[in-house]
Amino acid sequence: MKFRFSKRTILGCALGMTILVTPVSAATHEFNFKFTDVYTTKDYDEVWAKSDNENSWYITLLKSAGLLKNSNMSSTNIFGCRMRDMSVEPTVDVYHTFSNYISNYKINYLNDSNGNQIAKMGHAMRLRAKKDDSSTSSSALTVYGKCAP
């Protein structure tokens, strides 16, 4: 009986250590936008709960998101965005522009005037985007991507 108890204890400890060393990552959400001009700013339809306390978010911009789901960003068709925190008043992010496809690009959130983190776990986050004013292409801008607020 003592052997079984020891074996269970060892297996339990091993499982517990596996759980402790497994990295926790923020939930990833898909998005897509289509813009026909540089004047229209859009909030993505979905609001996502921030799933971690990291003071940054991650964005991936995809060339292709599947069959007939192609982005067309370029140096003349530029995507601009920022993350919004719908739970608090201060701005938590600045505007970013992209003309190249990226993967898991880390963007730090802003802090308050005392240096404290504003965007926190559980906050309602929403991606705001537009075709950047510096775009010279007359083509509509279509962007597919993923983000982890």
Side-chain angles (χ1 to χ4, degrees):
M1 197 71 155
K2 186 175 181 182
F3 178 74
R4 283 186 164 186
F5 178 74
S6 297
K7 192 175 185 180
R8 285 184 192 157
T9 303
I10 291 169
L11 288 174
C13 288
L15 179 61
M17 292 196 52
T18 303
I19 291 169
L20 288 174
V21 297
T22 302
V24 177
S25 60
T28 303
H29 308 280
E30 295 181 2
F31 64 85
N32 63 77
F33 288 100
K34 183 170 185 174
F35 302 98
T36 56
D37 60 55
V38 296
Y39 308 107
T40 306
T41 299
K42 297 179 183 178
D43 283 330
Y44 192 63
D45 296 336
E46 296 177 25
V47 174
W48 307 299
K50 182 163 173 47
S51 63
D52 63 17
N53 271 319
E54 186 177 358
N55 200 28
S56 57
W57 65 286
Y58 296 82
I59 186 167
T60 296
L61 299 173
L62 303 167
K63 176 76 175 158
S64 175
L67 186 63
L68 303 176
K69 293 182 176 181
N70 296 314
S71 299
N72 65 337
M73 270 190 325
S74 69
S75 60
T76 61
N77 216 2
I78 302 165
F79 178 66
C81 67
R82 73 178 177 96
M83 190 62 71
R84 296 180 62 210
D85 188 335
M86 310 302 286
S87 304
V88 294
E89 186 59 36
T91 301
V92 296
D93 192 21
V94 296
Y95 182 73
H96 311 276
T97 57
F98 300 95
S99 58
N100 294 313
Y101 300 97
I102 53 172
S103 180
N104 292 320
Y105 182 77
K106 181 179 180 177
I107 300 173
N108 291 324
Y109 286 116
L110 300 174
N111 291 325
D112 67 16
S113 59
N114 296 321
N116 297 317
Q117 182 175 339
I118 302 169
K120 297 182 180 170
M121 188 165 93
H123 282 198
M125 310 302 284
R126 176 176 268 169
L127 187 62
R128 174 172 275 185
K130 68 176 292 195
K131 180 176 179 173
D132 189 68
D133 296 347
S134 61
S135 295
T136 56
S137 172
S138 59
S139 298
L141 172 63
T142 303
V143 176
Y144 290 90
K146 298 176 183 182
C147 67

